Amino acid sequence: LNPAYAGSHDYWTSTLSYRNQWVRFDGAPETMIAAVDGPIPEKNMGLGFILLHDRIGVSRQNSAIANYSYQLKLNENNKLAFGINAGVSQYSADLTKLTVWDQDQVFEKDLSGRFIPRAGLGLYYFSKRYYAGLSVPTLLGYQEDYSFSIDLSKSSFLRRHYLLTGGYVFDLKHDFKLKPSVLLKYVENTPLQADFNMSIVYKDMIWLGSSFRTGDACVFLVEYQPNKHFRIAYAYDLSFSKMRNYSDGSHEIMLGIDFGKDLVKVKTPRYF
């Protein structure tokens, strides 16, 4: 979501995730992501790398993205990070597998090997207890059969997504913590969408949470962190749009592995 997030921990962290959306719906999206990020010691910088495979209907996307961030230490507890990303996406589509009523030469052969270089940027303000971020993950991109332009809609079929995030962690009694957060998403010519999230954390090990996504779904999640190195989580989306008549919801699983020489020194866990 935000390249400025790279290296915001004191150690390296990695994530593997798989999302199966709209189960029982023909051609429903499937997404797999492998990501790693961490700090460059004593340089106030962070690096991150992402591999993504996304499939929906007859189309597929493979992406490789590198993130870079530079952090300014505003005071003892707060930092402001500036981030950029750069990468490439490969798109393909099995158009010949589609059922076509009106014959069109566009559907007479498959699309393969369409490469689109892309770049984005972001800001990320954070401390041990709260964070806020603003980002445009794909600010620029270029597709060879389009004209080159800083207007993304003229240089590719991609569109800019504007993302605003924020959250806070509150201490409660008896080893409980409460973490509310919000994610606002805007794309031109579409309604503004918001995720309102709430998680309860017990002994920094067990997370139980829910999310309300406007116009779309309710999400329920659980995460277990048995030690400083491993995290595993599961989320279930229950749609309340018309899609609920055709699917059994969406499932997502995540495995996280944290590593690095400074990991054992961390006394205050990170909640985001």
Side-chain angles (χ1 to χ4, degrees):
L1 297 181
N2 193 335
Y5 182 81
S8 58
H9 298 77
D10 296 325
Y11 48 87
W12 283 79
T13 181
S14 63
T15 301
L16 295 172
S17 66
Y18 170 75
R19 178 175 174 81
N20 188 2
Q21 189 167 324
W22 302 332
V23 175
R24 197 169 56 85
F25 189 84
D26 239 6
E30 285 185 278
T31 304
M32 289 174 278
I33 299 175
V36 61
D37 79 278
I40 301 177
E42 301 178 0
K43 296 291 186 179
N44 297 324
M45 299 179 186
L47 290 177
F49 304 94
I50 299 172
L51 295 176
L52 178 146
H53 172 75
D54 197 38
R55 181 174 65 182
I56 176 170
V58 298
S59 63
R60 295 178 302 279
Q61 171 192 347
N62 295 300
S63 297
I65 301 169
N67 295 320
Y68 167 82
S69 70
Y70 182 81
Q71 300 175 6
L72 294 177
K73 190 173 182 179
L74 303 180
N75 53 46
E76 190 64 29
N77 298 313
N78 302 312
K79 293 181 180 180
L80 177 63
F82 303 85
I84 59 174
N85 68 33
V88 62
S89 295
Q90 178 198 39
Y91 293 89
S92 59
D94 299 325
L95 299 180
T96 55
K97 293 183 179 180
L98 294 173
T99 300
V100 181
W101 285 271
D102 298 318
Q103 294 303 314
D104 191 317
Q105 62 180 1
V106 171
F107 301 102
E108 292 178 356
K109 60 180 180 179
D110 297 332
L111 297 178
S112 62
R114 294 290 183 94
F115 287 91
I116 301 180
R118 56 202 298 179
L121 52 80
L123 293 173
Y124 185 60
Y125 177 77
F126 64 100
S127 71
K128 294 179 180 179
R129 289 289 174 177
Y130 55 85
Y131 69 95
L134 177 64
S135 62
V136 187
T138 303
L139 181 67
L140 300 172
Y142 175 65
Q143 192 173 335
E144 61 179 350
D145 48 349
Y146 283 68
S147 59
F148 186 79
S149 173
I150 61 173
D151 185 342
L152 187 63
S153 63
K154 295 179 180 179
S155 62
S156 74
F157 73 88
L158 301 174
R159 297 295 180 266
R160 288 174 182 162
H161 292 241
Y162 299 89
L163 307 176
L164 178 65
T165 60
Y168 197 98
V169 178
F170 297 91
D171 281 318
L172 303 178
K173 295 180 179 179
H174 308 297
D175 296 317
F176 284 95
K177 292 180 176 65
L178 188 68
K179 180 197 166 187
S181 63
V182 64
L183 167 61
L184 300 178
K185 298 169 281 186
Y186 175 72
V187 184
E188 189 177 358
N189 298 321
T190 65
L192 177 70
Q193 189 176 64
D195 288 8
F196 299 100
N197 317 298
M198 185 70 70
S199 293
I200 295 178
V201 188
Y202 178 63
K203 289 189 174 181
D204 298 327
M205 292 176 56
I206 299 174
W207 298 60
L208 295 175
S210 63
S211 177
F212 173 78
R213 183 172 299 132
T214 58
D216 185 21
C218 289
V219 184
F220 305 94
L221 65 92
V222 59
E223 180 175 332
Y224 178 56
Q225 185 169 346
N227 53 51
K228 295 179 180 179
H229 297 277
F230 297 99
R231 295 167 286 118
I232 186 169
Y234 166 78
Y236 174 73
D237 294 23
L238 181 63
S239 178
F240 53 78
S241 67
K242 292 183 178 180
M243 188 63 70
R244 69 181 182 275
N245 298 323
Y246 307 98
S247 78
D248 295 326
S250 305
H251 302 271
E252 186 169 351
I253 57 174
M254 183 275 291
L255 173 66
I257 303 175
D258 301 331
F259 52 93
K261 64 179 183 180
D262 293 329
L263 182 59
V264 294
K265 301 177 184 179
V266 177
K267 296 181 180 181
T268 303
R270 287 290 301 274
Y271 302 101
F272 42 85

